Amino acid sequence: MITFPNAKINIGLGITEKRSDGFHNIASCFYPVNWCDMLEMIPAKTLSFQSTGIEIPGNPDGNLCLKAYHLLNEKYDIPPVQMHLHKIIPIGAGLGGGSADGAFAIKMLNDMNQLGLSIEEMEGFATELGSDCPFFIENKPVYVTGRGEVFDTLDLSLEGKYIVLVNPNIHISTKEAYSGVTPTPLSVDLKQLLTSSINEWKGNVVNDFEHSLLKNYPVIDNIKKSLYQKGAIYASMTGSGSTVFGIFDDEIDLSNYTEYMVWSGKLD
Ligand SMILES: C[C@@](CO)(OP(=O)(O)O)[C@H](O)COP(=O)(O)OP(=O)(O)OC[C@H]1O[C@@H](n2ccc(N)nc2=O)[C@H](O)[C@@H]1O
Ligand SMILES: Nc1ncnc2c1ncn2[C@@H]1O[C@H](COP(=O)(O)OP(=O)(O)O)[C@@H](O)[C@H]1O
């Protein structure tokens, strides 16, 4: 069985409160984009994992695909699989690529073993893997609060809009990015802004990580400015960086981003 775990972007990201468990409460829109990894699992005599494509830092035993297997195996004693992840989504990039791999692994193992888990049950397992993971179970645009696992429907469709994602090859650790932010309650009604016209977003829909990271990494700031110069209706860094996205009505010329990792396409 093969699946294609996709990235997400954060449209607006308020970091509203530091919690007693060390995490932060956030408010954001998570929106899926079709920049995808490839994840294959086939039944095997022993459990194994290999990855190709972009090199993944850290010990392969800590890969979220394997963690997903162990999580389900603890409870359901599932048979071993051979896993192959072809990594395409930039890492430490605010795109949630690792989280998507983990969540898709849960969904695949549920299907392959006919575990019959509900969406809520899979989201529960995904929350144990990481704050961003549960979103990828349903994988549709939502308004997110809590540490990233509380979902509220959002009447927002960007279907047909053209999106450009530019990653300047900088790996930013999520933990470090959070430690550089002073949590502040939302000063605007983010959910309402998101459901108003996209033309209202520039300057109003804000990612709280930008304040510190755009200063520390001028290249991120420059990419954001260049997307606006190219006519973006809205541009922002996603998550804890370092990827920047721009939303356009039409395709744009990407020739001045050749030194970066770039993905573009229509939003669903
Ligand atoms: C910032 C966001 C925004 O969507 O995305 P990315 O930039 O990572 O894609 C997420 O909150 C990232 O979620 P995720 O990448 O799953 O983080 P986790 O593995 O759960 O946590 C890594 C570390 O980040 C910090 N953390 C994470 C989530 C959260 N709501 N509060 C936190 O303080 C904690 O220090 C934690 O130890
Ligand atoms: N399947 C995976 N793909 C990418 N990173 C993974 C994966 N499994 C575990 N990780 C770890 O997660 C960290 C970054 O996760 P990623 O989702 O790419 O970043 P971000 O949180 O910025 O979206 C990496 O440092 C890596 O060691």
Side-chain angles (χ1 to χ4, degrees):
M1 185 180 213
I2 185 156
T3 55
F4 299 89
N6 58 272
K8 59 86 187 155
I9 52 167
N10 296 91
I11 308 177
L13 177 50
I15 301 161
T16 54
E17 198 177 7
K18 173 111 199 236
R19 301 158 37 135
S20 54
D21 60 5
F23 286 85
H24 291 78
N25 283 328
I26 63 169
S28 182
C29 165
F30 285 17
Y31 205 104
V33 288
N34 281 325
W35 200 349
C36 296
D37 290 338
M38 293 185 242
L39 177 61
E40 182 186 51
M41 287 191 202
I42 49 178
K45 287 208 170 74
T46 53
L47 176 66
S48 66
F49 174 82
Q50 67 160 338
S51 75
T52 49
I54 299 177
E55 200 179 321
I56 304 172
N59 187 333
D61 289 344
N63 198 282
L64 287 162
C65 300
L66 272 180
K67 285 192 171 171
Y69 177 89
H70 293 305
L71 200 58
L72 293 185
N73 188 42
E74 253 172 49
K75 188 140 187 211
Y76 301 105
D77 193 19
I78 50 181
V81 286
Q82 181 186 328
M83 293 188 195
H84 183 159
L85 174 66
H86 188 67
K87 192 73 201 164
I88 295 171
I89 303 171
I91 294 169
L95 294 167
S99 306
D101 296 337
F104 274 66
I106 291 175
K107 292 194 275 190
M108 280 173 101
L109 291 166
N110 178 50
D111 289 347
M112 286 172 77
N113 297 293
Q114 294 162 340
L115 299 178
L117 297 175
S118 66
I119 297 287
E120 291 72 24
E121 285 170 314
M122 286 191 279
E123 286 174 353
F125 284 114
T127 305
E128 292 186 47
L129 292 181
S131 312
D132 268 356
C133 278
F135 158 75
F136 292 101
I137 299 292
E138 282 218 275
N139 205 23
K140 61 178 195 200
V142 273
Y143 185 72
V144 174
T145 53
R147 63 174 252 238
E149 84 292 22
V150 180
F151 304 132
D152 206 350
T153 51
L154 190 63
D155 184 19
L156 166 66
S157 172
L158 298 171
E159 195 181 340
K161 292 268 187 247
Y162 183 74
I163 186 164
V164 176
L165 295 149
V166 184
N167 180 271
N169 307 311
I170 297 170
H171 182 137
I172 297 179
S173 145
T174 302
K175 202 181 177 80
E176 275 171 41
Y178 270 106
S179 66
V181 173
T182 307
T184 329
L186 287 179
S187 58
V188 290
D189 185 339
L190 178 60
K191 193 173 178 204
Q192 204 209 330
L193 254 176
L194 289 166
T195 50
S196 68
S197 164
I198 183 173
N199 299 309
E200 304 294 317
W201 291 2
K202 186 177 177 182
N204 294 318
V205 174
V206 174
N207 177 338
D208 284 350
F209 284 114
E210 283 193 348
H211 183 68
S212 53
L213 293 179
L214 264 47
K215 253 187 275 161
N216 294 344
Y217 301 98
V219 62
I220 300 178
D221 197 21
N222 290 337
I223 292 170
K224 183 175 165 181
K225 286 182 179 137
S226 76
L227 289 167
Y228 272 128
Q229 273 158 11
K230 285 176 176 292
I233 315 165
Y234 178 72
S236 172
M237 193 178 77
T238 174
S240 54
S242 58
T243 307
V244 182
F245 67 89
I247 299 173
F248 299 82
D249 280 323
D250 298 301
E251 278 189 39
I252 59 157
D253 170 31
L254 299 172
S255 55
N256 54 336
Y257 299 123
T258 47
E259 65 193 292
Y260 304 132
M261 284 191 277
V262 177
W263 185 89
S264 63
K266 286 206 165 166
L267 285 165
D268 292 334

